[in-house]
Amino acid sequence: MAPILKQHVADAAASGAPPPSDEFRLSDFDLTIRNGTVTNADATFRADIGIVDGRIAAIADRLPAGAHDIDASERLVLPGGIDSHCHVEQISSNGVMTADDFESATVSAAFGGTTTIIPFAAQHRGMALPAVVADYHACAGPKAVIDYGFHLIVSDPTETALTVDLPALIRQGYTSFKVYMTYDKLKLDDYQMLDVLDTASTHGALVMVHAENNDMIKWIAQRLLARGHTAPKYHAVSHDPLAESEATHRVIALARLTDTPVLIVHVSGRDAVRTIRAAQTLGARVYGETCPQYLFLTAADIDRPGLDGAMFCCSPPPRDAASQEAVWEGLANGTFQVYSSDHAPYRYDETGKLPKGAATTFKDMANGVPGLELRLPLLFSEGVGRGRLSLQQFVALTATNHARMYGLAHRKGAIAVGLDADICLWDAGREVTVAAASLHDRVGYTPYEGRALRGWPVTVINRGRVVVADGRLLAERGSGMFVSRRTPGPVAMARTPSPQTQLFKSLTAR
């Protein structure tokens, strides 16, 4: 028995388990998972699970076998992962399409233990949001093999978008949207940001923010290029950590003015981590997300011969060892509530990373790295396996907190009666050496090539359907379902605005 599993079996015995049940008969369950060690964000216990019509119908110490029965002996039984930040079948602001469509992305996610993804219906300037959402549904519905929801990307906050389209879409279950403070074709200025924050506050949505100072980045980049510094490694130089920490501080101030909760996504630098932590300590409604690339890569990985460093370029870029440690600390101490992949899959060729071939500069490259399939195994191996995180923290960061953050807790994120049967069985002792050839995305490389991991998802269940087992895909193309979301947890949380905020809102309400 793997040491991790041995410890959690002991924890389960100490914490107690659901009582035996003689209320159920063989025919009562479509599927049973028996003899496993179940871990939620708040408890570990030994239990059997009975599933009916895609939902968890019973959890007890002993259940009779269902029509289909899985023996989970020597396995950890965890909620299926939720990846709430990934870019799938999405055109970038520079017109580059991601390598993964909804089929390849959801297959890759499933093999990595993820049962729900929330990618982005991306508005580019001049586009109407309802049409953007309709087009994205047409992409997803026929292809997805696991469940999915949509965030919105808002880059053109017109009066119609703010007063008609966004309120209507929020009511329809699109209860979060992302805005950018960088990228010329996507960024909002502070005035526009306040408009979006106010709309979110009024109608009950969560705002996700890519926080980097665009002018800082542009100013540095222009000087680097003028001096002939064009290699991929200069991407990290141009995206100075101060650009991230300044923008983080600024958007927190804007959100405090409107009393709107915000989530700062893909946080990379030590100063940005500290800025978020300080604001949280003061009571600001700010939340944080980080990603594998900020735990397992540094700027040194980008410094490679030729253009090979492009495969490690994302925005914000990986930083240094001190920032890695700050991000690990943020995961452990609660600064970060969610851990996502920010899967941005661009091939290492003219269709993706190298639009100008050998003449590509760091400013021409598509920004982003793949990570959808390895998100969970990386954190399990290096977080849980090395004692940086408890198994319950792992579950919270990869599933439960995503469900709470984004209005999915009524369906997903935990192993509990009444919820969707989204369950992943882990072999805590399985050793895997990462190789792009064994992954299921269409990118063709991984920045984690050759890394040795311990612990791997071996059986993946989504809404009671066995999607992956024994290294085989068992779900059909198009069998995933769209999940409408409710009010995000940070928005629903009861809070009395300060007197200044109440006065401000009374004077400025639309």
Side-chain angles (χ1 to χ4, degrees):
M1 184 181 292
I4 293 173
L5 180 58
K6 198 177 287 185
Q7 178 60 52
H8 289 291
V9 168
D11 292 344
S15 65
S21 177
D22 55 7
E23 300 176 16
F24 300 100
R25 302 181 307 276
L26 173 69
S27 60
D28 286 336
F29 302 116
D30 302 324
L31 174 67
T32 46
I33 302 167
R34 300 192 300 162
N35 308 313
T37 300
V38 178
T39 295
N40 278 321
D42 58 356
T44 296
F45 50 92
R46 159 68 183 80
D48 293 349
I49 301 168
I51 297 165
V52 177
D53 293 333
R55 300 241 176 160
I56 298 172
I59 300 174
D61 183 54
R62 289 188 299 277
L63 291 172
H68 299 280
D69 183 54
I70 296 174
D71 181 7
S73 300
E74 302 291 309
R75 296 288 181 262
L76 296 173
V77 182
L78 310 183
I82 300 173
D83 195 339
S84 59
H85 187 161
C86 50
H87 301 275
V88 176
E89 205 160 336
Q90 179 187 328
I91 298 176
S92 76
S93 60
N94 290 326
V96 180
M97 175 61 80
T98 57
D100 283 319
D101 66 6
F102 270 91
E103 181 178 15
S104 60
T106 55
V107 168
S108 183
F111 273 96
T114 291
T115 53
T116 305
I117 63 169
I118 316 178
F120 299 89
Q123 179 202 42
H124 297 289
R125 288 174 187 164
M127 292 181 173
L129 283 165
V132 169
V133 171
D135 288 347
Y136 212 42
H137 272 292
C139 293
K143 301 173 188 173
V145 304
I146 59 172
D147 291 353
Y148 57 94
F150 298 160
H151 305 294
L152 308 174
I153 287 178
V154 179
S155 66
D156 195 4
T158 63
E159 185 70 12
T160 298
L162 293 168
T163 61
V164 178
D165 295 342
L166 281 173
L169 288 166
I170 292 167
R171 289 193 298 271
Q172 294 166 27
Y174 306 91
T175 54
S176 52
F177 30 91
K178 182 182 179 182
V179 293
Y180 289 81
M181 301 175 77
T182 189
Y183 301 131
D184 286 338
K185 296 180 181 179
L186 290 175
K187 72 180 182 70
L188 305 186
D189 61 31
D190 289 356
Y191 191 99
Q192 293 171 312
M193 189 76 71
L194 286 167
D195 273 343
V196 171
L197 289 166
D198 183 57
T199 297
S201 178
T202 300
H203 297 282
L206 180 66
V207 179
M208 309 160 68
V209 184
H210 178 143
E212 287 186 285
N213 184 306
N214 192 64
D215 286 333
M216 279 188 181
I217 295 167
K218 184 185 293 187
W219 189 85
I220 298 170
Q222 287 178 348
R223 279 153 180 76
L224 289 170
L225 293 171
R227 290 158 178 79
H229 303 308
T230 63
K233 67 181 179 181
Y234 295 107
H235 171 78
V237 177
S238 66
H239 288 251
D240 191 277
L242 284 171
E244 182 184 25
S245 59
E246 186 282 329
T248 299
H249 180 272
R250 179 159 38 102
V251 77
I252 290 171
L254 297 175
R256 290 180 67 190
L257 179 64
T258 59
D259 194 39
T260 306
V262 291
L263 174 73
I264 312 300
V265 298
H266 48 49
V267 177
S268 68
R270 178 175 57 180
D271 287 354
V273 177
R274 291 175 173 173
T275 299
I276 293 168
R277 186 68 172 173
Q280 291 169 341
T281 301
L282 293 172
R285 303 172 75 186
V286 57
Y287 301 85
E289 171 208 84
T290 196
C291 311
Q293 50 268 38
Y294 308 122
L295 297 171
F296 304 109
L297 303 176
T298 68
D301 289 301
I302 309 176
D303 187 4
R304 293 176 181 249
L307 295 174
D308 285 359
M311 291 184 282
F312 299 81
C313 284
C314 55
S315 297
R319 303 297 186 186
D320 56 15
S323 287
Q324 281 184 328
E325 188 59 33
V327 171
W328 276 113
E329 290 175 4
L331 288 172
N333 67 22
T335 302
F336 298 116
Q337 290 70 43
V338 290
Y339 164 81
S340 307
S341 69
D342 190 15
H343 181 70
Y346 298 105
R347 294 186 184 91
Y348 185 55
D349 60 24
E350 287 81 359
T351 70
K353 289 287 187 178
L354 308 177
K356 297 181 180 178
T360 299
T361 73
F362 72 87
K363 285 301 287 182
D364 301 319
M365 300 178 309
N367 279 281
V369 294
L372 195 52
E373 191 164 342
L374 292 174
R375 175 183 72 112
L376 300 185
L378 284 165
L379 192 67
F380 187 95
S381 178
E382 304 306 300
V384 179
R386 296 186 181 275
R388 286 181 172 271
L389 300 170
S390 71
L391 191 57
Q392 292 175 16
Q393 286 176 309
F394 174 85
V395 169
L397 288 163
T398 61
T400 308
N401 289 354
H402 296 256
R404 293 171 178 168
M405 186 72 65
Y406 293 109
L408 282 172
H410 64 296
R411 293 278 304 271
K412 299 179 182 293
I415 296 175
V417 172
L419 297 191
D420 287 352
D422 291 354
I423 298 169
C424 188
L425 277 59
W426 284 74
D427 181 346
R430 182 175 175 184
E431 296 182 349
V432 174
T433 299
V434 173
S438 66
L439 301 178
H440 298 82
D441 59 40
R442 295 177 182 164
V443 187
Y445 67 87
T446 171
Y448 311 106
E449 186 79 29
R451 185 179 287 270
L453 302 179
R454 185 176 176 90
W456 199 262
V458 292
T459 304
V460 181
I461 299 163
N462 172 221
R463 274 183 295 106
R465 307 170 301 130
V466 179
V467 176
V468 171
D470 301 321
R472 295 181 299 126
L473 178 70
L474 303 179
E476 295 182 359
R477 171 186 165 102
S479 61
M481 289 184 60
F482 175 75
V483 183
S484 178
R485 293 179 290 118
R486 296 181 178 176
T487 303
V491 177
M493 195 178 301
R495 175 187 172 97
T496 303
S498 69
Q500 296 121 302
T501 298
Q502 292 183 54
L503 175 61
F504 170 78
K505 285 186 173 291
S506 71
L507 294 173
T508 61
R510 285 182 179 271

